[in-house]
Amino acid sequence: MAQTSIKKNFAYKSALNLSSYVIGFITFPYISRLMGAERVGLVNFVDNTVSYFLLFATLGIGLLGVREIARVRCDERERSRVFANLLGVNLLFTLLTLVVFVAAICLVPTLRQYSDLFWVGSAKIIFSALLVEWFFSGMENFRYITLRTVAVKLLYVVAVFLFVRRADQYPLYFILTVGVVVVNALINMLYARRFVRLRLSELFSLRYLRSNCTLGVYSIMTSMYLTFNVMFLGFVAGNTEVGYYTTAFKLYTVFLGFFSAFANVMLPRMSALVADGEQEAFQTLLSKSFSAVATFSLPLIACSVVMAPQIIYVIAGEGFAGAVVPMQIVMPALLAVGLAQILAIQILMPLKRDGVLLAASIIGATLSVVINVVCVPHLGATGSAVVLLAAESVVTGTYIVYVCRKQIVKIPVKRFLRSALLTLPSVAVCVACGHYISNPFIALAVAIPLSVGCWGILNFKELRSYIGI
């Protein structure tokens, strides 16, 4: 029963991520060619700055909510109480964040320059408190999450193509982007009433204040090499460099999404297994997770690095050539993040080792600040890519050292080495296609099926085993 549930949930979550990226691939080439790197960079600068403030509004509620709801999902009374407690804490920090956000718009010249966009962005902060996606993840209701999100985003795509027709309509494009959050939040709050009975008195509990702050600091530190990275780049290097970096980063997140899908599905299940004391099942699922990262991450990294010029050209156009090198630097971070999501979300979070997460994030954030200050003003988007790779690598290294010292799990190094060897034929195919086929569209059209075919044949045994996840 549990294994079937995980398989279905992963399918739903993967379908959700895949649909999001397909929708992105439909709209982004249109928007990037219509608006150009500078305006795309401006919208991303504003959106990432808003998202940085959003981190302080949500703090650790996303991770904490999934863990705590998973623990009480079978008890309606306790589930309602936990939901109200978590929602109340989230609303409190959202209100405090909005005060600071408004002050920043009024006082910081760079933000005041684009105040109209930032006022629109305030709606994203407000309605994110009502999004309560953590509740449905904790309930493992990934079917609902997928169907709702896909429906809303399809409406978003239609709206973009219908209403955004000129380069100077980038404010409307941003309004539509924020509107996705608003609509999802309203639908979620209405649907959540099926599962919880909200009592206003329970909103004012500070039961989860400490845990939320601990995981919140972890999220904020992590943002130093994610969201803050983009904001700092915009301040010191301009909107065009932001456009290059965010283009490379968007493509990186496409591949990362499938690892995130598996990790997000596994968090509530692993939390439940820990609570029930089922150590054997816990270790079995960990083994499958490591095997999946080894099998899929290395070929994705190697082939996308080789084909980066063709990928950037096809997705964003020739005006985004400056995104090629950042993409080639960023992509190896997939391996580090894939491992980190297993170690952090599937092991340390369910075991409530929040202090380890916090320590690792502080180390990563400190390193990212140093590299940001030293490299980004001179290297622009390339420097931001270096920040991401270095920070993710050191955070994952910290997790590995901890779990190995505590003998919580053993990293299957031989499995990763074997995957690296089996990746070489696919890499050779990509190198040949990139070198001998001048047209980027044709090069990708030939390279993708051939490289996937080589990889699939060599990994046939592993692929069959995943059917039973």
Side-chain angles (χ1 to χ4, degrees), residues 223-245:
S223 76
M224 295 300 291
Y225 45 91
L226 294 175
T227 307
F228 177 79
N229 205 18
V230 177
M231 187 170 69
F232 183 79
L233 178 62
F235 273 106
V236 302
N239 294 330
T240 301
E241 288 295 318
V242 173
Y244 294 150
Y245 176 73

Side-chain angles (χ1 to χ4, degrees), residues 132-302:
V132 296
E133 203 82 315
W134 42 266
F135 173 74
F136 298 105
S137 294
M139 294 291 292
E140 296 194 44
N141 196 346
F142 293 100
R143 179 178 183 272
Y144 161 73
I145 295 173
T146 300
L147 296 178
R148 182 216 66 224
T149 305
V150 170
V152 172
K153 287 196 172 183
L154 285 175
L155 291 175
Y156 164 76
V157 170
V158 172
V160 167
F161 282 104
L162 281 180
F163 301 115
V164 183
R165 309 300 294 271
R166 303 190 310 271
D168 61 355
Q169 290 183 307
Y170 61 90
L172 177 58
Y173 170 62
F174 185 56
I175 290 172
L176 293 174
T177 302
V178 172
V180 172
V181 176
V182 175
V183 174
N184 277 324
L186 294 175
I187 295 173
N188 277 0
M189 288 303 295
L190 289 173
Y191 188 62
R193 295 170 61 186
R194 290 190 176 190
F195 305 95
V196 296
R197 295 182 179 182
L198 187 61
R199 294 178 171 83
L200 293 178
S201 60
E202 293 177 334
L203 285 173
F204 303 103
S205 171
L206 300 179
R207 175 185 176 189
Y208 291 107
L209 183 62
R210 181 176 179 180
S211 296
N212 188 44
C213 289
T214 300
L215 290 174
V217 174
Y218 158 71
S219 298
I220 292 168
M221 292 296 102
T222 301
S223 76
M224 295 300 291
Y225 45 91
L226 294 175
T227 307
F228 177 79
N229 205 18
V230 177
M231 187 170 69
F232 183 79
L233 178 62
F235 273 106
V236 302
N239 294 330
T240 301
E241 288 295 318
V242 173
Y244 294 150
Y245 176 73
T246 53
T247 298
F249 188 75
K250 282 180 185 294
L251 297 171
Y252 158 80
T253 57
V254 169
F255 299 113
L256 180 61
F258 293 99
F259 299 111
S260 299
F262 191 73
N264 291 334
V265 164
M266 294 298 286
L267 173 56
R269 181 51 48 90
M270 299 299 260
S271 297
L273 290 176
V274 170
D276 296 339
E278 298 184 29
Q279 288 298 317
E280 184 176 349
F282 183 85
Q283 293 294 335
T284 299
L285 291 180
L286 281 180
S287 177
K288 288 181 179 293
S289 297
F290 280 120
S291 180
V293 170
T295 301
F296 295 104
S297 66
L298 295 179
L300 281 174
I301 292 169

Side-chain angles (χ1 to χ4, degrees), residues 177-455:
T177 302
V178 172
V180 172
V181 176
V182 175
V183 174
N184 277 324
L186 294 175
I187 295 173
N188 277 0
M189 288 303 295
L190 289 173
Y191 188 62
R193 295 170 61 186
R194 290 190 176 190
F195 305 95
V196 296
R197 295 182 179 182
L198 187 61
R199 294 178 171 83
L200 293 178
S201 60
E202 293 177 334
L203 285 173
F204 303 103
S205 171
L206 300 179
R207 175 185 176 189
Y208 291 107
L209 183 62
R210 181 176 179 180
S211 296
N212 188 44
C213 289
T214 300
L215 290 174
V217 174
Y218 158 71
S219 298
I220 292 168
M221 292 296 102
T222 301
S223 76
M224 295 300 291
Y225 45 91
L226 294 175
T227 307
F228 177 79
N229 205 18
V230 177
M231 187 170 69
F232 183 79
L233 178 62
F235 273 106
V236 302
N239 294 330
T240 301
E241 288 295 318
V242 173
Y244 294 150
Y245 176 73
T246 53
T247 298
F249 188 75
K250 282 180 185 294
L251 297 171
Y252 158 80
T253 57
V254 169
F255 299 113
L256 180 61
F258 293 99
F259 299 111
S260 299
F262 191 73
N264 291 334
V265 164
M266 294 298 286
L267 173 56
R269 181 51 48 90
M270 299 299 260
S271 297
L273 290 176
V274 170
D276 296 339
E278 298 184 29
Q279 288 298 317
E280 184 176 349
F282 183 85
Q283 293 294 335
T284 299
L285 291 180
L286 281 180
S287 177
K288 288 181 179 293
S289 297
F290 280 120
S291 180
V293 170
T295 301
F296 295 104
S297 66
L298 295 179
L300 281 174
I301 292 169
C303 293
S304 60
V305 167
V306 172
M307 301 298 292
Q310 291 80 11
I311 294 172
I312 292 293
Y313 183 90
V314 169
I315 298 302
E318 59 183 353
F320 285 78
V324 172
V325 173
M327 179 181 173
Q328 291 173 325
I329 295 172
V330 162
M331 289 307 299
L334 271 178
L335 177 58
V337 178
L339 286 171
Q341 290 186 338
I342 296 174
L343 299 171
I345 297 178
Q346 296 185 42
I347 299 176
L348 298 175
M349 277 283 301
L351 294 175
K352 297 189 177 182
R353 307 292 173 87
D354 299 344
V356 180
L357 300 178
L358 179 59
S361 65
I362 291 174
I363 294 172
T366 302
L367 179 63
S368 73
V369 170
V370 173
I371 301 177
N372 260 312
V373 172
V374 174
C375 296
V376 173
H378 307 290
L379 299 178
T382 300
S384 293
V386 172
V387 171
L388 177 66
L389 177 59
E392 293 287 14
S393 298
V394 75
V395 167
T396 302
T398 304
Y399 294 153
I400 291 174
V401 169
Y402 179 83
V403 298
C404 289
R405 282 185 175 179
K406 296 295 183 178
Q407 298 182 335
I408 298 174
V409 69
K410 185 178 179 180
I411 308 297
V413 177
K414 291 183 179 180
R415 181 69 190 83
F416 283 90
L417 293 175
R418 180 174 181 273
S419 180
L421 290 174
L422 295 179
T423 298
L424 293 178
S426 297
V427 174
V429 169
C430 292
V431 170
C433 290
H435 182 74
Y436 291 107
I437 304 176
S438 59
N439 187 299
F441 291 89
I442 297 176
L444 283 179
V446 174
I448 291 174
L450 288 180
S451 59
V452 171
C454 290
W455 171 80

Side-chain angles (χ1 to χ4, degrees), residues 53-76:
F53 280 94
L54 186 59
L55 283 169
F56 291 89
T58 57
L59 285 180
I61 206 73
L63 296 172
L64 178 64
V66 174
R67 184 175 73 188
E68 295 304 316
I69 291 296
R71 185 177 57 83
V72 299
R73 66 184 179 185
C74 296
D75 184 337
E76 182 181 352

Side-chain angles (χ1 to χ4, degrees), residues 6-21 142 146 257-262 265:
I6 290 173
K7 180 181 176 181
K8 288 183 178 179
N9 287 338
F10 177 61
Y12 281 125
K13 193 66 176 178
S14 296
L16 172 62
N17 286 341
L18 180 61
S19 65
S20 298
Y21 300 136
F142 293 100
T146 300
F258 293 99
F259 299 111
S260 299
F262 191 73
V265 164

